[in-house]
Amino acid sequence: MTGASSGTHRPAAAVAPGERGAVRIADRVVAKIAAQAAREVLGPLPKDAVPPHATVVVHHGTARVRVHLELDYPSAIGARCAAVRRQVTERVGALVDMEVREVAVHVDRLHPAQTPGRA
């Protein structure tokens, strides 16, 4: 009796790269990468500050990111926000190969520096 399972295996037909499927990276994963990128560039935070967090909307392979953070004051707020935007754009692009069209940085709170004589 001979059957279809004669022990030989035919190789599957080669599938063109464009037809192999796609990888979809969840928005929350991109948001975690963006938040970590903000942490990297900010360095040590004020002692009672909440760590940066992000929300992301991904549409057709591009991301729009909103980062919320708290900063010490006085500091160069504009320069620090620009550094966050650059770092988030670079890290998201490098790690998930996604274009970042917008990074909106929201400073939710400023933490005044403790000076002698102030409580």
Side-chain angles (χ1 to χ4, degrees):
M1 179 173 178
T2 60
S5 60
S6 62
T8 60
H9 186 309
R10 284 188 279 163
V15 178
E19 297 175 10
R20 291 183 189 159
V23 174
R24 183 183 178 323
I25 299 172
D27 293 7
R28 71 178 189 271
V29 172
V30 179
K32 286 183 179 189
I33 292 169
Q36 179 60 37
R39 280 188 218 95
E40 291 169 0
V41 76
L42 288 176
L45 298 173
K47 69 176 183 174
D48 56 343
V50 174
H53 63 279
T55 57
V56 174
V57 175
V58 177
H59 186 67
H60 295 299
T62 62
R64 294 188 187 275
V65 181
R66 186 173 305 248
V67 179
H68 294 265
L69 48 87
E70 298 182 7
L71 298 174
D72 51 344
Y73 183 82
S75 66
I77 296 170
R80 295 183 80 191
C81 290
V84 167
R85 281 191 290 276
R86 280 191 304 274
Q87 182 76 353
V88 167
T89 300
E90 179 183 310
R91 297 296 283 161
V92 169
L95 293 175
V96 296
D97 193 28
M98 186 177 293
E99 179 186 356
V100 179
R101 293 233 171 136
E102 175 186 353
V103 179
V105 178
H106 295 265
V107 178
D108 293 333
R109 185 174 173 199
L110 296 174
H111 296 267
Q114 297 295 326
T115 57
R118 287 182 69 189

